[in-house]
Amino acid sequence: MAYPLPMFYQQEDSVTRDLEYLQEMYPAQAKKFQKMIAETLDHMDYEGSMIYDEYPDKWQIYRLTQIIVDKIRKSEEEMAGEDQNKIAEFVQILLCYEIYRRRHCNNNGILKF
């Protein structure tokens, strides 16, 4: 092959489509959390943002998780009885995944290769 790069981008596009398809299969509560996470990260999606740091700070991820969990608590009254630690862990997992996706799949991301 003389020019392998176009095929690389085709593979990357198929990976992105596959990830988006799998996100559509999330349970209803996970979709709500994912939407709030995406809205929060939309405000932080700029050059120089902590989400594009080579090694994001663990404390900043934890703090961002707490901000999102607080937003979820304010918007949903039925979460009052649920285990808050499990919800925070779940949100942190979704947050780390979304940061990863933005770092590698976003046209503005500095780590896209």
Side-chain angles (χ1 to χ4, degrees):
M1 269 170 67
Y3 303 104
L5 287 179
M7 291 193 70
F8 175 77
Y9 289 117
Q10 288 175 351
Q11 290 173 350
E12 188 173 291
D13 289 341
S14 68
V15 169
T16 303
R17 282 193 310 264
D18 193 30
L19 290 172
E20 289 172 354
Y21 173 73
L22 291 172
Q23 277 184 330
E24 291 175 11
M25 290 191 216
Y26 281 179
Q29 191 173 22
K31 284 182 183 180
K32 289 179 189 178
F33 294 170
Q34 182 68 29
K35 187 178 286 189
M36 287 190 174
I37 291 168
E39 289 172 1
T40 303
L41 288 180
D42 284 344
H43 296 293
M44 300 182 71
D45 199 355
Y46 56 86
E47 190 173 335
S49 172
M50 64 77 81
I51 64 174
Y52 294 116
D53 287 348
E54 186 175 358
Y55 298 105
D57 184 39
K58 187 175 183 176
W59 185 85
Q60 288 178 328
I61 298 292
Y62 175 77
R63 181 67 187 125
L64 190 55
T65 300
Q66 293 306 314
I67 291 169
I68 294 168
V69 169
D70 289 342
K71 286 181 184 180
I72 291 170
R73 279 190 203 135
K74 288 178 184 176
S75 69
E76 296 185 13
E77 295 296 326
E78 67 267 8
M79 280 185 47
E82 295 185 35
D83 185 11
Q84 299 298 320
N85 289 333
K86 288 183 181 181
I87 291 172
E89 288 176 357
F90 183 60
V91 168
Q92 188 170 356
I93 291 168
L94 288 174
L95 175 65
C96 290
Y97 172 77
E98 182 66 19
I99 289 173
Y100 173 83
R101 190 183 70 77
R102 287 175 186 247
R103 288 168 59 118
H104 292 281
C105 299
N106 192 352
N107 291 334
N108 298 330
I110 59 172
L111 296 176
K112 184 175 181 178
F113 36 80

